[in-house]
Amino acid sequence: MLQSNTLKRCFSSTAIKRVGQEIFNDTKFQVTTYNRPNDLCITRGANDVLYDDVNGKQYIDFTAGIAVTALGHSNPEVADILNTQSRKLVHSSNLYYSPECLELSEKLVDKTKAFSGQFDASRVFLCNSGTEANEAALKFAKKHGIKKHGSKKQGIVAFQNSFHGRTMGALSVTWNAKYRTPFGDLVPNVSFLNINDELTKLQSFIHSNHEQIAGLIVEPVQGEGGIFPVPAETLIGLSQVCKANDVAVIYDEIQCGIGRTGKLWAHSYLPKEAHPDIFTAAKALGNGFPIAATIVNEKVNNTLQVGDHGTTYGGNPLGCAVGKHVIDTIANEQFLAQVSAKSEIFMDRLQKIKAKHPEHINDVRGLGLMIGCEFKESPAAIVAKCREMGLLVITAGKTTARFVPPLTITEENIHKGLDIFEKAVAEVYA
Ligand SMILES: Cc1ncc(COP(=O)(O)O)c(C=O)c1O
């Protein structure tokens, strides 16, 4: 018995090694758009740990696949749903209804309202990725503006430090020039404002130009830009001026939504008057299975007609079955309370690390398990040192280390991971 187990183990590790080597040889077939460490090849995961069986290493994961695997890696319930649903129906297209698609849409609307999100949420467009959800949001806002006020009202207001995706529409409202400028002409009529400007200045820009502005898009917590929670007063003030001028308010909740901040949506912290007309969700919705949603109120839906938008895969039963489970699990007061409790552990320890390195760490900020530790310079060396010691962390913006672990991370692994982070900071700045 023992012998055969040993044999099995040997066999499987040799097989993985072979697969791993092939993966490394195959990197020459990948387009040149990523800069990945070449000493790391993830082969499997379990909740908050990722394994590299090629190199025989394991890592505590503070990245959750960029804020995606909220319910942990290889979640057994998600795996069961994928298995069962894939034996039932994977795809039938949007030509026909499927129960899973209808049920997920209803659930998104109902749970949003029940968990203090968009009070007039009403309809859902299901698609496959964050950028696609934003693409739909921008089209819907433009359609609303043009249909109700004529073709002049089609511009979009976005913000400095924003990230909304890589397809042409979403890219057009993404701030980082490095992402935009190599691609020539993008969607016109986009104005980038500075969210930290005086509120009256922002309001006055929107009011004076309202005849040309169809929508305003903002992340309630800016993610890729460096983890900046937007103050509630700013979102309230922006919503007021947008509502007064019939500008559709779009909240991009792709990174900060679905429990990440300790509420179902980041905008669940806001009063009703600051709720959006449209908001977008993706990342955690499928716990790694690609699915996304654009949720709108009736005002926006009233200007849409059959044929305005579409997708082949969006709303497929497989993704929707997973999405239903994710929403059911996370839209739960106890689940959300444990996110906030874990956030306090992170914040408390990171503040202590900051206090030890005042000359290197500028700020610790965030909401829930979307936390940034801003350094005075690039934290690239710290990220590399953490990796060397068994912790995966990513950056946000130029100077911020970002912590977006699975929402199911154990307290033990929060502490173990932060021990590594603390040691890495100490070693890099020794
Ligand atoms: C706030 C936000 N919007 C949009 C996107 C794009 O999502 P996707 O990569 O799924 O297209 C991201 C991805 O990081 C994001 O963080």
Side-chain angles (χ1 to χ4, degrees), residues 28 33 126 322 333:
K28 68 174 185 288
T33 55
L126 291 166
V322 177
E333 295 298 355

Side-chain angles (χ1 to χ4, degrees), residues 66 129-132 134 163-165 219 224 252 254-255 282-283:
I66 322 185
S129 67
T131 196
E132 252 188 276
N134 282 340
F163 183 86
H164 298 294
E219 298 153 82
E224 300 300 310
D252 177 341
I254 283 158
Q255 187 159 161
K283 290 194 182 274

Side-chain angles (χ1 to χ4, degrees), residues 237-256:
L238 287 172
S239 295
Q240 274 164 354
V241 71
C242 286
K243 269 158 208 177
N245 291 287
D246 209 12
V247 169
V249 173
I250 307 167
Y251 287 164
D252 177 341
E253 292 249 10
I254 283 158
Q255 187 159 161
C256 61

Side-chain angles (χ1 to χ4, degrees), residues 282-323:
K283 290 194 182 274
L285 186 55
N287 205 52
F289 187 90
I291 176 167
T294 307
I295 294 123
V296 306
N297 58 18
E298 214 47 27
K299 180 181 92 171
V300 170
N301 185 62
N302 281 340
T303 58
L304 298 178
Q305 63 194 53
V306 172
D308 272 348
H309 199 45
T311 158
T312 296
Y313 295 123
N316 65 76
L318 193 56
C320 290
V322 177

